[in-house]
Amino acid sequence: MAFRGKRRYGIGKKKKETRSASEIVESLKAMNVRTEATGSDYREQSLRIHGLICAKCARDFEPKDRHHLTVHHKDGNPRNNPKDGSNWENLCSHCHEDEHSRGLLGDYLRGKKD
Ligand SMILES: [Zn+2]
Ligand SMILES: [Zn+2]
């Protein structure tokens, strides 16, 4: 007499998928391809032209604290760097973040936080 039944193979035993740390790092790198190609020397130029003062809250900074000041691009285009500084605004990091969070430029700052 034949046994008629379904035999099931390979039940359960789901292999847990693990990602190696290096794999994760690689994918993060791939996502983060936006590196500063424009260079950051405009920052020094802007500080020289506009002074070590936040254009928004008017807080001024000692030269030793200059790293707290960031250069904001008024038109939102970091590639637009006219030598006369007309597209630059020196903002403290707080004001800079504030400026971007209310506008459409949020992702620009998220990508590059200076
Ligand atoms: Zn400020
Ligand atoms: Zn900005």
Side-chain angles (χ1 to χ4, degrees):
M1 130 178 189
F3 178 77
R4 292 206 300 162
K6 281 183 205 155
R7 277 186 93 165
R8 293 207 260 160
Y9 293 94
I11 337 160
K13 261 214 161 179
K14 230 180 187 174
K15 208 176 157 197
K16 213 173 172 186
E17 200 175 304
T18 49
R19 293 177 78 192
S20 68
S22 62
E23 219 180 322
I24 293 169
V25 169
E26 280 311 307
S27 56
L28 282 180
K29 266 195 220 160
M31 283 162 64
N32 217 356
V33 282
R34 285 203 303 168
T35 46
E36 275 176 90
T38 46
S40 54
D41 57 334
Y42 64 75
R43 179 197 165 95
E44 284 304 314
Q45 293 175 46
S46 181
L47 293 180
R48 212 168 44 230
I49 293 168
H50 300 295
L52 299 177
I53 185 164
C54 174
K56 244 183 142 176
C57 69
R59 183 176 160 188
D60 56 357
F61 292 82
E62 299 290 317
K64 67 175 168 62
D65 294 323
R66 62 201 291 120
H67 57 278
H68 290 301
L69 277 170
T70 57
V71 177
H72 173 63
H73 291 83
K74 290 181 182 176
D75 71 353
N77 179 7
R79 288 170 198 281
N80 184 13
N81 295 303
K83 291 272 179 269
D84 65 354
S86 56
N87 192 37
W88 299 326
E89 208 168 37
N90 296 339
L91 297 177
C92 71
S93 48
H94 176 78
C95 289
H96 201 170
E97 211 163 314
D98 193 57
E99 183 75 16
H100 280 266
S101 62
R102 73 180 68 232
L104 304 161
L105 306 166
D107 58 334
Y108 156 58
L109 232 216
R110 270 195 294 278
K112 181 191 97 88
K113 208 163 185 179
D114 189 355

